[in-house]
Amino acid sequence: MGESSLQLLLTFFLFLLCTKPNLGNYWGVGDANLGCKEHERQALVKIKEDLIDDYGHLSSWNTKEDCCKWRGVHCNNQTGHIIQLDLSISNVKPLRGKLSPSLRDLQYLTYLNVSYNDFNHTQIPKSIAFLSNLRQLDLCNANFGRNIPFQLGNLSNLQYLDLGWNNFNPENLEWLRPLSSLCFLRMSSVNLSKVNNWLEVVNKLPHLTSLHLRSCNLPNIFPIPHVNSSASLDVLNLSYNNLTLSSSILEWLFNSNTSVVKLYLFDNQFQGLIPDAFSRIYSLEVLILDDNEFEGGIPKSFSGMCNLKTLSLSSNNLGEQLLGIVHNLTGCANHSIQELYLDYNNIMGSFPDLTTFSSLRELWLSDNLLSGTIPESLGKQSNLEILYIDRNPFVGVISEAHFSKLTKLKTFYAYNNPLVFNFSSNWVPPFQLEHLYIMGCQVDSGLPKWLQTQKSYFWLDLSWSMISDTLSNSYWIFPKKNFFYINLSSNQISGHIPNLSLESSSGSIIVLHSNKLEGEIPPFVFKGSHLDLSNNMFSKLALSLCEASNNSLEYLDLSNNRLSEELPDCWMQFEGLKILKLANNHFYGKIPSSMGSLIEIETLDLGNNNFSGKLSSSLKNCTKLVFLDLRNNSLSGPIPMWLGRSHPNLVVLFLRSNHFYGRMPPHLCHLTHIQLLDLALNRITGSIPKCINNLISLTNTKSPNAAFNHSYALLSSRYVDQTIWMWKGREYEYGNILALVKGIDLSSNKLSGVIPEEIVMLDGLISLNLSRNLLTGKITSDIGLLCSLEVLDLSDNKLCGEIPSTLSLIDSLNSLNLRNNNLSGRIPTGPQLSTFNASAYKGNPNLCGFPLPKNCLGEETPQNPTVNGSSGDASMQDEKDGFITRGFYVSAAIGFVVCFWGVFGTLLLNRSCRLSYFKILNNIRDRLYVIGGVTMARLQRQLQS
């Protein structure tokens, strides 16, 4: 019995050994010791050799461990063969190079994804065609170019193919026909303008259910296939194709493909009324017609679209009453519709009762012409999650009743409406909001206390809402999220920011500018990516700034406060800063050397403070600077040489009103992108460098520099630099149009020598101010080459000689100041110069002529040249010499009368003369008629030949 049992046990053990692989398969467990195949490993090595891996994504591919464990590589648990290769790693830090032909050695691949890389317009390797097991091929957005290999048609098992957003321009799509298993095809941005039979080809793919041909330049008119495919499309995206209502695609769609579920036709050129025929597609659940030019309203037939869940008509020209649109959707559609997008149209009327739209989850009505009050019936939309009613002229009060049953509401946008929000202090909303945006409305009773009950919101904008309240104990106003956006700017909020222990993530945005906040700035606000506390009354910064450490902070604006202290020297903790604005405070002491750690800084504005000492040489590390404003401080020393060498991108440089001395360094001529250079009100000596014509950006009269629009983006809008520029003796603030201003201001220094001839090469200059210096010599005779100049101030120098007549060639000149020089001779005349009064020239005792009261030699009284017509200098001189007198006019009148009656009287009284005269006229008329007829006949013969 024991022996029998032993034999049975041994037999069972041998059975387990024999069936081990099968048991592993049965239990879903592979051989733990099974590694990838060596020839497949070698193929991966060759693939990597053809790639440029700037960011070390494939660093694991250098190790000796099992290649099945390499990044992006997946193997079959039972066989060890590589079945998936995913090289789509990062769309921000892509792989580069080319895709190796060695892919053909990965015969068992079923999945290949190389999307969002940069293959530099190289061709898709033909070797992919040997991967006969491939089910999914994703080459999207990989910067492939040239032709699409027709060999891809050999992939008969392919079910998913994405070639979108590359650089293909195929002549045909015949290679697609053999792909009979294909279910998903995306060729977005592939230029198909030459492929007139594209629809016939895709129509033959029997299993195709999802077709994406966005931005393909599809032809509008083409042959429509007579034979329908065996399967119908579920998803069809033909957006961005310039299609019109006469396109063949609509005929095919309405007559042959009525089972589409999702249809995307946005951003085409559809005009006129929306076709009724869309209602024939009974299966339609999603219809997107945004960004076209549809007019009128929604067809009544849409009411019968019983499956329609999403209807989007944003950014069209719809002009019907909203009540009419609601009426035309009332049928079974109003019960099925969940998302209704009607924003950015011209829809009029009042806000109707929408309670019959029982399934409505999203309603977008922004940017229309809707008016009147919001009905309280809105509060009965129990399924409503997202509501946009912003930028309409609605009026009236919004109260608790408008939200009574909105238990699912997450997003509410009502900004830029003259609405009044009035809630009781103890109101508890039925919802948990995520976004609240009511900028520009009126919020009564201060900061909404019901926000204390909201645990989910991370987006709050109550700016410009006439809120008068204190922030000191309102800690609950700050969302308790890792990321949040809060904007309470341009209100009447006072008090202190509560010192919270929030550890916000690198993306958080806090905008509290233009209030009455005061005291110390707490450390937690420096934890985000954007902080704007400008135009308040804060008085303390140092400790809180150095307690924070955040390389993700990109924007910091503390300007226009009452901060009075030495600037803390801990800027190495904020290396990611791109915009730093500390202007109009009371900071003093030296600019800290740690500011040189701001290697990403593009805008540095420290103007209107009390900084002193020399500029720290560490600032030369800030090589990305575009905008540098140090005006109105007490900085001293020579202007450093590195300021021109180390900042090749500098567009604005303001050193105005400091104590800089020494010569103007010629290295400033390296600032080839400079548009505004202001060194006024210093003690700069020496001459203006002749290399000033190297300021190339000031020689461009056409396109302004775009560098004022920084790469740092606050949500959907970019940051634009703003500054003060002295214009015609007054300070003006420039923002959005700053890029149009090009100027040099070197006034109120001790510059000497002549104005260099090279300055006339700066024909893009709009403003030039060299006043209050010690400049000598003549004004260059080529000054008229500054054709864009609007403001010219050369006053209070020692310039001599005549005013160049070419100055009259500058048509745009509207402000001129040449006072207090040693200029002499006649003031030149011209349409533009005649508009300046005597004050532009006073203080030059040897100048004469209009508009000065002093006559030039030989003149009786100064004349305004514009009064005497445009007879020119010679005729004006004749007048001054006395040729045209009162007697001249009397003689001319008598001569005209005698000559007129001598001819006309003879014809009137002498019949024979009169007949001869008219006979001559008739002969002349007849001759002209004959000459004209002959000429026309010759011309016609020449054209026919």
Side-chain angles (χ1 to χ4, degrees), residues 606-885:
L606 306 179
N608 291 298
N609 282 287
N610 296 310
F611 291 114
S612 59
K614 295 182 179 181
L615 283 179
S616 171
S617 61
S618 67
L619 288 177
K620 65 184 179 183
N621 297 326
C622 305
T623 57
K624 295 184 179 180
L625 267 175
V626 172
F627 183 104
L628 178 60
D629 190 345
L630 301 174
R631 79 176 80 205
N632 297 332
N633 280 286
S634 298
L635 298 168
S636 60
I639 297 175
M641 293 288 189
W642 49 260
L643 195 56
R645 291 172 176 169
S646 303
H647 301 92
N649 302 313
L650 207 59
V651 177
V652 172
L653 175 60
F654 288 150
L655 302 180
R656 182 186 188 89
S657 190
N658 279 283
H659 303 304
F660 290 110
Y661 55 82
R663 301 180 68 85
M664 182 176 170
H667 293 82
L668 291 181
C669 296
H670 293 297
L671 300 176
T672 56
H673 294 289
I674 203 76
Q675 285 188 208
L676 289 174
L677 176 63
D678 191 344
L679 307 180
L681 291 160
N682 282 285
R683 291 179 288 168
I684 301 170
T685 58
S687 60
I688 300 172
K690 291 187 175 182
C691 62
I692 196 168
N693 62 315
N694 290 336
L695 305 180
I696 297 174
S697 187
L698 294 177
T699 66
N700 187 353
T701 60
K702 295 180 180 179
S703 58
N705 198 309
F708 293 101
N709 295 301
H710 293 284
S711 57
Y712 168 73
L714 168 59
L715 306 178
S716 60
S717 60
R718 291 184 176 275
Y719 168 75
V720 179
D721 283 316
Q722 296 181 334
T723 192
I724 302 292
W725 179 254
M726 188 68 70
W727 183 263
K728 303 180 186 179
R730 295 177 59 188
E731 290 186 338
Y732 292 90
E733 183 172 356
Y734 292 91
N736 290 327
I737 64 169
L738 181 60
L740 301 176
V741 183
K742 297 181 179 183
I744 293 177
D745 192 341
L746 305 179
S747 62
S748 300
N749 280 287
K750 297 183 179 181
L751 294 170
S752 58
V754 299
I755 300 174
E757 295 275 347
E758 290 78 5
I759 204 166
V760 301
M761 302 296 291
L762 307 180
D763 55 346
L765 262 181
I766 294 176
S767 173
L768 176 61
N769 190 345
L770 304 178
S771 64
R772 295 182 295 282
N773 278 289
L774 304 173
L775 297 172
T776 57
K778 296 182 178 182
I779 302 173
T780 173
S781 60
D782 292 328
I783 189 109
L785 295 176
L786 296 176
C787 55
S788 302
L789 207 61
E790 297 183 21
V791 176
L792 176 62
D793 192 345
L794 303 178
S795 62
D796 296 284
N797 279 287
K798 298 181 179 180
L799 300 173
C800 61
E802 295 185 349
I803 300 174
S805 60
T806 58
L807 195 64
S808 63
L809 301 177
I810 308 177
D811 296 332
S812 57
L813 193 65
N814 55 50
S815 178
L816 177 66
N817 190 350
L818 300 177
R819 291 194 297 263
N820 301 325
N821 280 286
N822 295 318
L823 299 171
S824 59
R826 181 188 303 278
I827 296 173
T829 60
Q832 196 65 21
L833 293 181
S834 64
T835 62
F836 303 122
N837 57 34
S839 63
Y841 306 99
K842 73 177 184 180
N844 292 280
N846 294 319
L847 277 180
C848 63
F850 179 83
L852 294 177
K854 181 180 179 181
N855 305 329
C856 292
L857 188 62
E859 289 181 342
E860 294 181 2
T861 55
Q863 299 285 335
N864 185 342
T866 59
V867 173
N868 297 319
S870 57
S871 55
D873 291 343
S875 62
M876 286 189 289
Q877 185 62 38
D878 288 339
E879 182 178 353
K880 294 179 179 71
D881 292 340
F883 176 77
I884 300 178
T885 62

Side-chain angles (χ1 to χ4, degrees), residues 21-81:
N22 295 329
L23 284 173
N25 291 348
Y26 179 79
W27 293 108
V29 179
D31 189 340
N33 298 318
L34 196 62
C36 72
K37 307 301 180 183
E38 180 59 27
H39 72 282
E40 294 182 348
R41 176 194 179 97
Q42 291 302 319
L44 291 178
V45 172
K46 292 178 182 178
I47 290 171
K48 184 184 177 184
E49 288 175 354
D50 283 347
L51 295 173
I52 301 172
D53 185 10
D54 298 312
Y55 305 98
H57 297 310
L58 304 182
S59 58
S60 61
W61 287 32
N62 289 329
T63 64
K64 294 183 179 180
E65 68 173 335
D66 179 9
C67 68
C68 290
K69 298 179 181 178
W70 290 357
R71 182 174 184 176
V73 179
H74 300 275
C75 298
N76 184 293
N77 286 338
Q78 288 85 42
T79 65
H81 287 296

Side-chain angles (χ1 to χ4, degrees), residues 380-394:
K380 299 177 182 179
Q381 303 288 143
S382 58
N383 286 308
L384 198 62
E385 298 177 14
I386 297 175
L387 177 60
Y388 283 78
I389 58 172
D390 49 283
R391 289 172 298 207
N392 282 288
F394 289 124

Side-chain angles (χ1 to χ4, degrees), residues 35 67 109 268 307 348 572 609 743 747 909:
C67 68
L109 272 186
N268 280 288
N307 294 305
M348 301 173 289
M572 71 289 292
N609 282 287
S747 62
L909 299 175

Side-chain angles (χ1 to χ4, degrees), residues 486-612:
I486 180 171
N487 190 343
L488 305 178
S489 62
S490 301
N491 283 295
Q492 298 293 318
I493 301 174
S494 59
H496 301 71
I497 299 177
N499 190 6
L500 305 177
S501 59
L502 295 180
E503 292 293 333
S504 65
S505 72
S506 59
S508 295
I509 297 167
I510 299 176
V511 182
L512 302 177
H513 70 77
S514 305
N515 280 289
K516 298 179 179 179
L517 299 169
E518 57 187 353
E520 182 176 355
I521 302 173
F524 84 90
V525 299
F526 296 104
K527 296 290 186 179
S529 65
H530 181 106
L531 177 61
D532 188 348
L533 303 180
S534 60
N535 293 289
N536 279 286
M537 298 184 290
F538 292 109
S539 57
K540 191 173 182 183
L541 165 69
L543 181 62
S544 59
L545 181 70
C546 293
E547 283 182 7
S549 179
N550 178 15
N551 286 333
S552 298
L553 183 63
E554 296 185 27
Y555 182 105
L556 177 59
D557 190 351
L558 304 178
S559 59
N560 295 289
N561 276 286
R562 299 177 180 178
L563 298 166
S564 180
E565 55 193 299
E566 288 194 66
L567 202 58
D569 196 7
C570 53
W571 295 98
M572 71 289 292
Q573 300 176 176
F574 301 94
E575 290 183 355
L577 263 177
K578 291 186 178 181
I579 313 292
L580 177 59
K581 304 180 71 174
L582 302 176
N584 300 308
N585 279 287
H586 305 291
F587 290 115
Y588 55 85
K590 294 184 177 181
I591 297 174
S593 60
S594 62
M595 278 201 165
S597 302
L598 303 178
I599 56 176
E600 299 294 327
I601 197 76
E602 296 176 9
T603 290
L604 179 59
D605 189 351
L606 306 179
N608 291 298
N609 282 287
N610 296 310
F611 291 114
S612 59

Side-chain angles (χ1 to χ4, degrees), residues 897-910 914 917-918:
V897 171
V898 170
C899 291
F900 176 82
W901 282 108
V903 175
F904 183 75
T906 302
L907 295 175
L908 185 65
L909 299 175
N910 191 318
R914 185 166 66 250
Y917 175 76
F918 287 112

